[in-house]
Amino acid sequence: MTTPPTPPAAPAPEAWGAAGGDQREMVPALARVARLAAASTGAPWAMVNFTAPGGFRVGAAYGLLDAQDAGVTVAASAVPCAGPATSGEPLVCADAQADPELASRAGVRALGIRGYLGVPFRDRLGRVAGTVCVMTLEPRAWTADDLERMQDLA
């Protein structure tokens, strides 16, 4: 497995629809999942998000947030994570800026997300509990191997 690419600087969480949270550090195991997601796909940004009322709570991130930003809540309308969390199916998008639904989301615009690959993960009862996702700043043709690796991590 390769080292994840050096992530570009990202706008502050508030710029893309995130609100402060009460958890102020990433859980090490979740931070490892985010890092492995980035490394296994070659994406500069990765996140592990949990469903929360009205949106998602960031459990861990690689490249996108500082460790102290774990726990912020992001509105479902601001990020692509709503797709896999609602449908229970992966969302594979080569260019979010070219997809009218995704391009309208504040987080996609503010962060300049182009490639997006997100997969849901489930709780013990089979309910969608959140998503593991990776993002790029350039359009990206995701492979079947990328999707399989992300599903393994979820």
Side-chain angles (χ1 to χ4, degrees), residues 15-125:
W16 47 273
D22 55 14
Q23 176 189 342
R24 299 316 286 173
E25 65 181 58
M26 291 186 202
V27 175
L30 295 179
R32 180 170 169 75
V33 169
R35 185 180 58 75
L36 288 170
S40 69
T41 61
W45 292 340
M47 296 178 78
V48 178
N49 302 301
F50 292 91
T51 56
F56 299 91
R57 188 171 194 78
V58 177
Y62 174 82
L64 186 57
L65 296 170
D66 292 329
Q68 71 269 14
D69 293 319
V72 299
T73 300
V74 183
S77 61
V79 292
C81 307
T86 303
S87 71
E89 298 296 325
L91 175 59
V92 181
C93 183
D95 190 352
Q97 299 295 327
D99 181 294
E101 181 181 342
L102 295 180
S104 69
R105 297 179 183 269
V108 171
R109 290 190 314 272
L111 293 169
I113 295 169
R114 301 297 295 267
Y116 176 85
L117 172 56
V119 298
F121 61 86
R122 299 177 184 279
D123 66 15
R124 291 182 185 150
L125 298 176

